[in-house]
Amino acid sequence: MKIRESELPGIGQKFEIITRNDEKLVIVIHDDGRRELYHFDNEHEDVISSITLNDQESRQMASIIGGMVYKPQALETIEMSLGDLVIEWFKVEPGSKAINQTIGSIDIRSNYNVTVIAHSKKGKKQLNNPGPDSIIEIGDTLVISGERKDIRNLIRELLTDERSD
């Protein structure tokens, strides 16, 4: 995640955040305590949503996001364990090696001992039990199953941006 901070004289502070998944969020903290949050489109040009919070609302939201209200069971990912079998949901990151490749060309099952049990395309219907011709794109969510170490290898080698580590 990249964060750029700048002072807004007479207004407050501005924080521009680019997430690991290349999503842009701008937070403006006004001197009077108000916070404005702006979420941008994929090109980082146009605001697609915004929200304004007062100081109390901002602090309540910060405690929720920071895990003070609820601490998730799996800190890094959503996962469910069935003995040695793990089922995990993972969003394909920009810059990963799997982008624009098919499940079959990567041969995920043979090379990683992992099965893709569902493939959710951004803004489209989820494909349950996707075939070998299913193309992996940025922002797709793969539901994968296998042993934890095998899933970690697949994620590290193919689904994350190798430049960000």
Side-chain angles (χ1 to χ4, degrees):
M1 183 165 66
K2 299 173 188 166
I3 301 174
R4 191 171 74 193
E5 181 179 353
S6 56
E7 186 176 343
L8 301 174
I11 298 172
Q13 290 289 111
K14 174 181 166 183
F15 297 87
E16 184 175 303
I17 301 165
I18 306 295
T19 68
R20 183 177 175 116
N21 288 329
D22 197 39
E23 296 172 302
K24 180 179 177 180
L25 179 69
V26 170
I27 302 170
V28 177
I29 303 176
H30 291 262
D31 291 335
D32 66 3
R34 282 181 299 128
R35 273 71 159 192
E36 295 174 342
L37 287 73
Y38 299 95
H39 180 225
F40 287 77
D41 63 6
N42 291 338
E43 289 77 37
H44 300 181
E45 297 294 325
D46 296 320
V47 174
I48 56 175
S49 65
S50 66
I51 184 170
T52 301
L53 303 168
N54 66 28
D55 188 62
Q56 181 181 358
E57 291 169 328
S58 298
R59 292 178 188 285
Q60 286 175 324
M61 185 180 285
S63 69
I64 292 168
I65 292 171
M68 295 174 70
V69 175
Y70 172 77
K71 184 176 180 178
Q73 297 296 320
L75 297 177
E76 294 184 60
T77 56
I78 302 170
E79 59 183 41
M80 177 175 69
S81 180
L82 303 168
D84 290 338
L85 176 68
V86 174
I87 299 171
E88 189 165 319
W89 288 252
F90 195 84
K91 186 175 178 181
V92 178
E93 298 178 357
S96 66
K97 291 179 183 176
I99 294 170
N100 296 325
Q101 295 193 50
T102 64
I103 291 172
S105 68
I106 298 170
D107 201 5
I108 293 173
R109 184 174 291 159
S110 295
N111 291 329
Y112 293 92
N113 200 27
V114 171
T115 302
V116 179
I117 57 178
H119 184 180
S120 181
K121 301 287 232 174
K122 196 171 185 180
K124 298 181 182 173
K125 186 178 177 186
Q126 177 174 303
L127 305 168
N128 293 319
N129 196 20
D133 295 335
S134 187
I135 298 172
I136 299 169
E137 298 173 324
I138 296 170
D140 288 357
T141 299
L142 299 178
V143 182
I144 50 183
S145 68
E147 290 188 19
R148 187 177 314 277
K149 65 178 175 49
D150 296 328
I151 287 176
R152 294 285 178 237
N153 286 338
L154 171 68
I155 290 171
R156 185 183 68 252
E157 292 178 17
L158 290 181
L159 304 178
T160 57
D161 183 352
E162 61 188 337
R163 299 166 297 175
S164 63
D165 291 332

